[in-house]
Amino acid sequence: SFVHALAAMPSPFPLVKLPRAKFLSSADILWLVPPIVHMVLVVARPHAIDFVKDNGLKLDGIGQYNIFWGFVIQLSMVGTFGGDGFNPAALICTTPMGAKRISKLILLIGSIYLIAFGLKTAETQGYLERGFVKKNVVSALGSPPLCGVNVKVDKKTCEMKLCGVVESLQGTCDAKKGKGCCMQPEVFVMDEMRHFFALQFIMRVFGPYMGMTVPLWAAIVQAALRLSPSSITGLLSNPQPVLFKAILTNDYKVMPYVAAATVGGGIAALIAATTVQMVAVRLFATKPKTTDKKALDATPAPESKKTQ
């Protein structure tokens, strides 16, 4: 069938094959590259949106432009480095790598610290004008508005609420998304976790059948989840940009919630997808039919009953 033919088709992706065979080797320095490319694309978001606007792309509001650029980033990064090649939350759940993923995880996170330290040093030494990092880098990095964490709560503060997927699609629940409201930390964790779970679960279960279209489907599924009325956080899916902003501003208050949501959603998806795959194998596995003549001849004939 077409699906099986597509799955069997050799995929050129990811274009850059990151070293995975050893716990640590000199080639592992390549793992420092994906976060750098990712942060460049994330920080370029305002300029990219202005560019596509000037070239005639008409979308409904800044939110949809952000989702469009997120689609471009996801397609580019998954196609170039693989889903776990630039996302620590996904790498943690890459169980076939075993303990080897620990060193890669350190390099992925360490790369963000190196970039931030480099930018701060360049600004301090005068290679960048004063205020460049805050104006051009920090301002482009999003952060979820958490009530009582990075948003001060008073009597006028409005809060977003957690809506179910069905009631959000039916329009019977208003999450107050995009209205300048903050969300309680536990609401953020639950919302981010369930949508990142959905992204990871879909890609784990159906990824083997997507063949060379995996990067495209990863971008489509992420964009669809971000557009879902139930997604009030916009689906961060990757903790790296929030970590980058935390380092640059020396404010880590939001980071634990982001890490808990993304890693928790990834682990839940790993367990659920593995369970589904195991059940599917048991249900749909076919028993091999014995047609070998020698095997049939070797089968002992039943003993005849003795007659007296």
Side-chain angles (χ1 to χ4, degrees):
S1 67
F2 174 75
V3 174
H4 288 88
L6 186 65
M9 189 180 298
S11 175
F13 304 112
L15 299 176
V16 177
K17 312 296 182 185
L18 297 170
R20 299 169 182 265
K22 298 180 180 179
F23 181 82
L24 191 62
S25 68
S26 58
D28 283 346
I29 195 171
L30 191 60
W31 282 86
L32 295 173
V33 177
I36 297 174
V37 177
H38 184 212
M39 288 307 104
V40 169
L41 291 173
V42 171
V43 171
R45 176 182 54 82
H47 305 289
I49 290 175
D50 289 340
F51 176 80
V52 296
K53 280 183 178 179
D54 295 340
N55 283 271
L57 181 63
K58 303 297 182 182
L59 296 176
D60 186 16
I62 189 64
Q64 290 193 8
Y65 281 106
N66 287 334
I67 292 172
F68 165 77
W69 188 241
F71 175 91
V72 173
I73 293 176
Q74 182 80 340
L75 178 64
S76 304
M77 295 301 298
V78 173
T80 305
F81 301 105
D84 60 353
F86 69 105
N87 189 337
L91 182 61
I92 287 173
C93 299
T94 308
T95 51
M97 288 182 67
K100 292 192 292 289
R101 66 183 183 269
I102 296 175
S103 58
K104 280 61 175 174
L105 185 65
I106 293 172
L107 290 170
L108 276 186
I109 297 175
S111 181
I112 298 297
Y113 278 89
L114 289 175
I115 303 168
F117 177 76
L119 285 172
K120 284 183 173 182
T121 302
E123 188 175 274
T124 302
Q125 297 296 324
Y127 296 108
L128 296 174
E129 63 181 32
R130 183 70 63 180
F132 175 87
V133 172
K134 183 178 181 180
K135 180 181 178 181
N136 296 282
V137 181
V138 174
S139 62
L141 299 169
S143 183
L146 303 185
C147 304
V149 179
N150 59 345
V151 175
K152 188 177 180 180
V153 178
D154 53 34
K155 294 182 179 180
K156 297 181 180 179
T157 304
C158 67
E159 295 183 9
M160 285 184 270
K161 60 182 293 188
L162 191 69
C163 293
V165 176
V166 175
E167 58 184 354
S168 295
L169 293 174
Q170 291 176 338
T172 57
C173 179
D174 182 13
K176 298 181 180 179
K177 178 180 177 180
K179 296 182 179 179
C181 303
C182 63
M183 65 192 94
Q184 290 294 333
E186 62 273 15
V187 170
F188 163 75
V189 172
M190 288 188 288
D191 183 66
E192 176 69 16
M193 186 180 291
R194 65 179 177 170
H195 289 95
F196 188 57
F197 165 84
L199 172 63
Q200 290 285 298
F201 179 79
I202 292 170
M203 295 309 299
R204 283 182 176 276
V205 172
F206 297 103
Y209 305 101
M210 295 174 181
M212 63 184 300
T213 64
V214 165
L216 177 61
W217 279 110
I220 290 174
V221 173
Q222 185 186 68
L225 289 170
R226 282 177 169 167
L227 285 168
S228 170
S230 63
S231 177
I232 60 177
T233 64
L235 182 60
L236 300 177
S237 79
N238 193 328
Q240 295 281 67
V242 178
L243 174 62
F244 191 30
K245 183 173 184 177
I247 299 168
L248 291 173
T249 59
N250 198 30
D251 184 356
Y252 292 84
K253 291 193 294 289
V254 175
M255 196 61 223
Y257 303 102
V258 174
T262 51
V263 175
I267 293 175
L270 170 64
I271 296 171
T274 303
T275 303
V276 168
Q277 290 165 343
M278 290 175 63
V279 171
V281 168
R282 288 184 175 273
L283 288 178
F284 301 108
T286 56
K287 295 181 179 180
K289 294 181 179 180
T290 306
T291 57
D292 190 353
K293 187 176 184 301
K294 291 182 179 180
L296 291 173
D297 293 341
T299 304
E303 295 184 3
S304 59
K305 290 184 179 179
K306 292 183 180 181
T307 58
Q308 305 220 352

